[in-house]
């Protein structure tokens, strides 16, 4: 069937976005100056957004002035700012664990705002994904700072609401222009925060420039374009669960590139996350009742017998009916 194949293709393409975002930790630790996550978020969003706006030459008008600002704030600006607070006040694993509630939030918001049907397998996938993230980050230790937990929950809520509103409002322009609007709005929100909290580093090395370039072109321009395409084409819960790929990819890159190790519970957690991601992507088969064909045939014959001038099958002209 072409429809399930098309959905799996859309899911695979959308999955590239969280896979790329999973590499952000490696790029940040190996290439970027330490202690400047807001600067990284701003340079990731604003230049790529301005570039897309300049290339597409499309600006939001009318109600899309505030809608684009709202989506840019939720999906990028406020999301990154809250993630920054959570990252500083919580261990990375705990922040990822709290953030794994996002698919459950999307499930609730999609039912309320999009009237999407809540399926049992979607609920199971959300629980399975969250349990997998818990196992994946089980080695993380540290206390639960209330402000950090609130920030992590806020970041998850921003992204969840951003996904649902992106689907509800649709897009009035091409995909690249729509992506550019949101990246620009989010970057403009982050710019004064970055200047106030972090400022600029004393110098930018070639490695720093390479890292910022990767985050801008691959981590934002490419990743957000395929992500918003996925949000448009896939059910809200299915695309939200794809976001759980980020901690899996981050763990695998740490294993391969940095020589880190994964304990058996963490490997089990990665497998559980992948199962939770795959479950909502599977096509739903609607099996027709066994007697539908017969019932349809009987209805047609009944209709045929009751049409004036019609002749039942098997009756010869000129002979009385038996």
């Amino acid at each position: 069937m072409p429809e399930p194949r098309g959905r799996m293709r859309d899911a695979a393409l959308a999955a590239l976005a969280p896979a790329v975002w999973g590499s952000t930790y490696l790029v940040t630790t190996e290439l970027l100056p330490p202690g400047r996550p807001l600067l990284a978020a701003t340079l990731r969003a604003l230049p790529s957004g301005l570039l897309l706006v300049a290339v597409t030459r499309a600006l939001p008008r009318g109600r899309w002035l505030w809608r684009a600002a709202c989506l840019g704030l939720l999906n990028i600006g406020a999301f990154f700012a809250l993630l920054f607070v959570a990252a500083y006040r919580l261990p990375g694993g705990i922040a990822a664990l709290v953030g794994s509630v996002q698919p459950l939030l999307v499930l609730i918001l999609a039912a309320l705002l999009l009237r999407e049907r809540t399926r049992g397998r979607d609920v199971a996938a959300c629980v399975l994904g969250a349990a997998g993230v818990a196992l994946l980050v089980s080695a993380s230790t540290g206390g639960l700072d209330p402000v950090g937990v609130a920030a992590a929950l806020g970041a998850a809520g921003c992204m969840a609401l951003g996904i649902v509103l992106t689907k509800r409002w649709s897009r009035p322009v091409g995909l690249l222009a729509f992506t550019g609007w949101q990246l620009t709005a989010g970057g403009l929100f982050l710019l004064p925060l970055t200047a106030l909290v972090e400022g600029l580093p004393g110098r930018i090395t070639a490695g720093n420039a390479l890292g910022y370039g990767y985050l801008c072109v691959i981590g934002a321009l490419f990743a957000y374009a395929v992500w918003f395409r996925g949000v448009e084409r896939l059910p809200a819960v299915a695309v939200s669960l794809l976001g759980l790929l980020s901690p899996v990819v981050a763990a695998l890159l740490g294993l391969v590139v940095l020589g880190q190790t994964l304990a058996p519970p963490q490997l089990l957690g990665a497998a559980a996350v992948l199962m939770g991601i795959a479950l909502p992507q599977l096509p739903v088969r609607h099996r027709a009742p066994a007697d539908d064909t017969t019932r349809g045939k009987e209805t047609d014959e009944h209709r045929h017998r009751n049409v004036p001038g019609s002749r039942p099958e098997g009756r010869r002209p000129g002979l009385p009916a038996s």
Side-chain angles (χ1 to χ4, degrees):
M1 293 175 64
E3 184 178 349
R5 285 201 301 269
R7 174 164 170 173
M8 294 301 291
R9 185 168 56 249
D10 291 337
L13 185 59
L16 293 176
V20 167
W21 296 333
S23 67
T24 301
Y25 173 78
L26 179 64
V27 172
T28 301
T29 56
E30 298 301 307
L31 294 176
L32 300 187
R36 284 184 165 82
L38 280 179
L39 177 62
T42 304
L43 293 179
R44 177 181 179 179
L46 190 55
S48 56
L50 292 173
L51 177 62
L52 287 177
V53 169
V55 169
T56 58
R57 297 183 180 181
L59 293 174
R61 294 183 177 85
R63 64 183 180 183
W64 272 102
L65 283 169
W66 69 265
R67 282 186 174 184
C70 178
L71 292 178
L73 181 69
L74 291 172
N75 287 321
I76 296 161
F79 172 73
F80 279 128
L82 290 169
L83 208 60
F84 156 77
V85 175
Y88 264 76
R89 303 186 71 102
L90 292 175
I94 300 299
L97 179 58
V98 176
S100 68
V101 303
Q102 178 190 307
L104 285 170
L105 297 177
V106 170
L107 193 72
I108 297 169
L109 291 172
L112 293 175
L113 299 179
L114 303 179
R115 299 293 187 265
E116 284 191 3
R117 181 182 174 187
T118 302
R119 301 181 184 276
R121 73 174 189 179
D122 293 336
V123 177
C126 292
V127 174
L128 188 61
V133 172
L135 287 172
L136 189 63
V137 302
S138 57
S140 177
T141 58
L144 293 181
D145 179 81
V147 176
V149 171
L153 285 173
C158 282
M159 181 63 82
L161 184 58
I163 289 173
V164 173
L165 288 181
T166 300
K167 288 189 71 67
R168 180 179 174 87
W169 290 338
S170 300
R171 56 180 169 89
V173 291
L175 179 63
L176 292 182
F178 187 61
T179 304
W181 292 356
Q182 295 190 57
L183 287 170
T184 302
L188 289 175
F189 173 81
L190 289 167
L191 186 61
L193 284 179
T194 302
L196 182 64
V197 176
E198 293 179 359
L200 295 175
R203 67 189 185 95
I204 300 291
T205 66
N208 298 157
L210 181 63
Y212 286 130
Y214 173 84
L215 292 181
C216 178
V217 177
I218 307 298
L221 196 153
F222 168 76
Y224 273 105
V226 298
W227 177 251
F228 290 136
R229 180 184 182 275
V231 170
E232 181 182 58
R233 297 184 176 222
L234 296 169
V237 176
V239 75
S240 177
L241 279 161
L242 290 175
L244 298 183
L245 270 177
S246 288
V248 175
V249 171
L252 292 178
L253 286 175
L255 178 69
V256 174
V257 180
L258 302 179
Q260 298 172 349
T261 58
L262 292 178
Q266 293 173 300
L267 294 174
L268 181 61
V273 170
L274 294 177
M275 289 174 61
I277 290 171
L279 192 57
Q281 317 302 336
L282 299 176
V284 180
R285 285 186 170 84
H286 301 282
R287 189 174 63 181
D291 59 341
D292 270 6
T293 305
T294 306
R295 188 182 300 116
K297 184 177 179 182
E298 290 175 353
T299 304
D300 290 343
E301 289 178 354
H302 178 75
R303 189 183 298 113
H304 180 73
R305 283 196 301 268
N306 286 279
V307 173
S310 64
R311 185 172 65 246
E313 264 184 51
R315 180 179 173 184
R316 296 180 182 177
L319 294 179
S322 56

